[in-house]
């Protein structure tokens, strides 16, 4: 050993050294027991660290998902840029939306109402029925202004989901069919909107009552 | 399945005599194998930790942490021949020691005092020194000198790696080692004179 270079001599010296020489109170059994316990039950700080890391991963993942996923409502142009689109007007909020858009942007054309396939298929006159009673007035069928018996809606149920707006009225038994009537619809927001779309501007001006004149057909058969 | 062998028999070397077998058993999380591994290597690792930190309590704490690390990272151990298990454990323990020293904000000061030229083959001085004396002298070195000296002399780490591990330049590492050697020899000489 005496002939070894100094570094190797030092290494050998340390290798042969008894640890009890440096750490007198060292108990291998006790030390192992502590280590074993640490392996079996990770420390509280380690557990918190682990939970924290899981939470951080979850939050980052959630944020990435929110920020990076493309919006299906927004179409993508050929250049890859998102095209800003006006939200689609649902049937229920057509009047409100049309009024808002019309005042804010004059270039936006009002939505045109499209008659349902059923109403296009069947001529209005063919639906005329002599049976008196509750009549479903189809406002799409307003074709002419004419004088007639004034009727007041007894059950002004606005069925917003199925535009054109329909109202149920009780017509006099003697009324000829098809009925030519003036109907006063009170505070019907949906109807006002519907009229706006039809550019029936004068009707929109009054908010208290909307006189609606026209030819109505009984559709209760 | 966990082998049903009494602890004494296992520790006498009748089980897991081979490093490879011991490592494989530890990978499977067999407590007996973990116990044998600890009992086999903990004393040497304790000396190593003590050499770096110079405090018995800290050394024991670092030793425990190092073995916990080792048992948790067992799956990453690759057997490369005899001695590879010890080398792997040593590396884990050294890393733990360096983490500890970093927390203590170890600085690599350059003592201006000159202790004379270091002589490479000063075996005459080294021959008469014992392990305890050497350990005490190492602990008297400043933290920066001591760490570089430990890594270079005992862990056989090149300056490039030392620089990378400690975040210093290679030249600083070389200077620190040179100064550490000078100071150590100086202290040994003084000790010799005192004894004589």
């Amino acid at each position: 050993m005496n002939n070894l270079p100094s570094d190797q001599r030092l290494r050998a010296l340390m290798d042969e050294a008894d640890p009890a020489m440096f750490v007198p109170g060292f108990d291998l059994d006790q030390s192992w027991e502590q280590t074993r316990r640490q392996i079996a039950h990770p420390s509280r700080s380690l557990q918190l660290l682990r939970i924290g890391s899981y939470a951080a991963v979850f939050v980052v993942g959630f944020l990435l998902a929110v920020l990076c996923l493309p919006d299906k409502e927004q179409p993508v142009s050929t250049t890859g840029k998102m095209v800003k689109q006006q939200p689609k007007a649902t049937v229920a909020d057509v009047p409100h939306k049309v009024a808002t858009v019309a005042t804010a942007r004059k270039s936006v054309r009002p939505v045109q109402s499209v008659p349902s396939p059923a109403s296009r298929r069947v001529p209005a006159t063919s639906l005329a029925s002599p049976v008196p009673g509750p009549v479903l007035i189809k406002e799409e069928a307003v074709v002419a202004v004419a004088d007639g018996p004034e009727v007041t809606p007894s059950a002004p149920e606005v069925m917003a989901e199925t535009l054109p707006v329909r109202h149920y009225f009780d017509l006099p038994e003697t009324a000829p069919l098809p009925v030519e009537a003036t109907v006063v619809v009170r505070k019907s927001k949906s109807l006002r909107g519907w009229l706006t779309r039809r550019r029936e501007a004068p009707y929109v001006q009054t908010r208290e009552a909307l006189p609606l004149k026209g030819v109505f057909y009984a559709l209760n058969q | 399945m966990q082998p049903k062998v009494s602890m004494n028999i296992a520790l006498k070397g009748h089980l897991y005599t081979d490093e490879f077998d011991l490592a494989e058993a530890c990978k499977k999380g067999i407590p007996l194998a973990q116990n044998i591994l600890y009992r086999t290597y903990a004393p040497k690792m304790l000396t190593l930790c003590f050499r770096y930190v110079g405090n018995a309590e800290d050394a024991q704490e670092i030793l425990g942490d190092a073995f916990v690390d080792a048992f948790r990272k067992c799956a990453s151990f690759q057997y490369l021949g005899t001695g590879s298990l010890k080398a792997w454990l040593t590396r884990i323990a050294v890393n733990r020691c360096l983490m500890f020293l970093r927390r203590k904000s170890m600085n690599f000061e350059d003592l201006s005092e000159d202790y004379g030229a270091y002589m490479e083959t000063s075996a005459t001085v080294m021959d008469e020194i014992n392990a305890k004396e050497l350990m005490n002298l190492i602990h008297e070195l400043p933290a920066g000198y001591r760490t570089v000296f430990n890594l270079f002399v005992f862990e056989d780490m090149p300056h490039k790696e030392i620089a990378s591990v400690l975040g210093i330049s290679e030249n600083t590492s070389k200077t620190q080692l040179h100064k550490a050697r000078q100071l150590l020899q100086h202290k040994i000489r003084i000790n010799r004179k005192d004894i004589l």
Side-chain angles (χ1 to χ4, degrees), chain A residues 20-153:
Chain A
M21 201 190 293
F22 313 117
V23 188
F26 180 65
D27 184 344
L28 197 58
D29 289 324
Q30 198 186 338
S31 170
W32 160 246
E33 196 53 38
Q34 279 178 358
T35 308
R36 192 191 61 76
R37 249 182 273 136
Q38 227 176 321
I39 301 162
H41 308 287
S43 66
R44 189 159 179 79
S45 59
L46 198 72
Q47 281 177 324
L48 285 173
L49 192 72
R50 199 173 292 172
I51 292 166
S53 65
Y54 288 150
V57 166
F58 175 77
V59 168
V60 169
F62 178 76
L63 287 175
L64 281 175
V66 168
L67 294 173
C68 298
L69 280 182
D71 187 357
K72 283 181 183 172
E73 292 294 321
Q74 299 286 339
V76 179
S77 75
T78 49
T79 55
K81 288 182 179 176
M82 299 296 280
V83 178
K84 218 170 185 183
Q85 202 181 37
Q86 290 294 330
K88 277 184 185 175
T90 60
V91 169
D93 53 16
V94 158
H96 174 71
K97 293 236 183 259
V98 169
T100 311
V101 171
T103 51
R105 284 178 158 204
K106 287 186 178 173
S107 60
V108 177
R109 292 179 63 191
V111 181
Q112 294 297 317
S113 74
V114 180
S116 66
S119 65
R120 262 183 278 147
R121 228 178 10 251
V122 185
T125 46
S126 68
L127 296 168
S129 162
V131 181
V135 174
L136 174 64
I137 296 170
K138 204 174 174 220
E139 291 168 350
E140 221 179 19
V142 176
V143 288
V145 177
D147 292 328
E150 188 172 311
V151 289
T152 306

Side-chain angles (χ1 to χ4, degrees), chain B residues 3-196:
Chain B
K4 295 192 175 178
V5 183
S6 77
M7 186 65 77
N8 287 336
I9 292 172
L11 294 177
K12 276 175 188 170
H14 290 262
L15 194 67
Y16 308 128
T17 48
D18 189 39
E19 256 187 37
F20 177 78
D21 291 341
L22 185 59
E24 287 302 308
C26 285
K27 280 183 187 180
K28 288 172 190 165
I30 298 171
L32 184 64
Q34 290 178 335
N35 191 338
I36 293 168
L37 182 83
Y38 189 85
R39 284 167 188 279
T40 308
Y41 294 104
K44 298 265 179 223
M45 296 301 133
L46 181 64
T47 309
L48 179 147
C49 295
F50 185 66
R51 184 158 34 82
Y52 276 87
V53 299
N55 178 300
E57 270 182 34
D58 291 337
Q60 287 185 67
E61 199 181 318
I62 292 168
L63 176 76
D65 290 344
F67 269 93
V68 170
D69 275 0
F71 290 132
R72 289 204 178 122
K73 295 173 185 169
C74 234
S76 68
F77 170 70
Q78 284 186 326
Y79 183 75
L80 302 170
T82 311
S84 58
L85 185 58
K86 187 190 172 190
W88 182 69
L89 288 169
T90 302
R91 191 61 199 248
I92 291 174
V94 167
N95 283 345
R96 271 282 168 185
C97 291
L98 294 179
M99 278 167 68
F100 175 85
L101 291 171
R102 267 188 220 114
R103 277 204 302 272
K104 294 255 175 184
S105 60
M106 157 183 57
N107 57 349
F108 296 90
E109 62 203 87
D110 194 357
L111 300 181
S112 54
E113 209 172 333
D114 189 15
Y115 299 103
Y118 164 70
M119 292 175 290
E120 185 63 42
T121 52
S122 57
T124 46
V125 181
M126 295 292 187
D127 281 350
E128 293 164 22
I129 199 168
N130 64 38
K132 188 160 188 177
E133 199 181 349
L134 175 64
M135 188 69 94
N136 288 339
L137 292 174
I138 289 172
H139 288 162
E140 284 175 20
L141 294 174
Y145 285 13
R146 188 173 66 228
T147 308
V148 174
F149 183 79
N150 274 327
L151 290 171
F152 189 89
V153 174
F154 296 104
E155 268 59 68
D156 211 10
M157 212 182 260
H159 283 296
K160 196 175 179 182
E161 202 176 338
I162 294 172
S164 159
V165 163
L166 298 179
I168 55 175
S169 70
E170 269 188 70
N171 278 339
T172 307
S173 173
K174 284 175 188 169
T175 313
Q176 295 275 310
L177 179 69
H178 184 74
K179 297 265 179 184
R181 285 188 195 280
Q182 277 184 335
L183 186 55
L184 203 60
Q185 281 191 354
H186 177 72
K187 283 178 184 291
I188 291 170
R189 278 194 204 104
I190 291 171
N191 270 20
R192 294 292 98 189
K193 276 177 195 170
D194 287 348
I195 292 166
L196 291 171

